[in-house]
Amino acid sequence: MKLLVKGDDYGITKSVTYGIIEAFDHGILTSSGMFTNMEIAPWAAQFVKERETCCFGIDFNLVCGPCVSEWATKEGQNELLPFHEVYKEIAAQYQRFVDLCGRAPAYLCGHSIQTGSMEEAYRTLSAETGVPFCDDLYKKYNIIDFRDAPIKNDELMNLSTRGKEFHA
């Protein structure tokens, strides 16, 4: 069995980015998803380029920060997350990752919320690019997301405080 430890929100702020890089460099994290729509994404991308063996994917961010694409229709501005608007934005975020990092992301993942139109857009882009959608990887390899684990939060807290402590 292999433990996968993912650090979300890479590139949301410099502090979070530095923390994730520190965790990669100390062997704590095994993957992280980048926000390509944030202003500091070009700065954060330099660390991705320097760590070719680290697993960086993309966290499609539709809930904070600026859009990478422009709204295609008035409907897109008024309706909550229609498929064609979601697809246009995640395709733009995907291309920005490739442009900034010089490689495709290792996986595709949504951030924070997931509607039917978002899931359809992620799977469409996955099929077009050949980059796996994380939900499909979870099912294929029987990966349990701790948020879906059949244990209570207080049990998680007890698990996280056992064993070796990490001091940065």
Side-chain angles (χ1 to χ4, degrees), residues 119-164:
E119 185 173 332
E120 180 184 359
Y122 301 152
R123 285 205 164 91
T124 299
L125 187 63
S126 175
E128 290 174 0
T129 62
V131 176
F133 174 45
C134 64
D135 286 10
D136 295 334
L137 291 174
Y138 294 162
K139 289 176 188 168
K140 181 178 180 178
Y141 296 106
N142 296 317
I143 297 170
I144 299 173
D145 187 320
F146 77 92
R147 293 168 293 190
D148 299 326
I151 57 177
K152 297 181 177 110
N153 282 340
D154 58 336
E155 291 172 319
L156 278 175
M157 292 304 294
N158 288 336
L159 288 173
S160 67
T161 58
R162 287 187 207 148
K164 182 180 173 185

Side-chain angles (χ1 to χ4, degrees), residues 22 36 50 75 84 127 154:
E22 187 77 10
T36 61
E50 294 169 0
E75 172 196 32
H84 61 280
D154 58 336

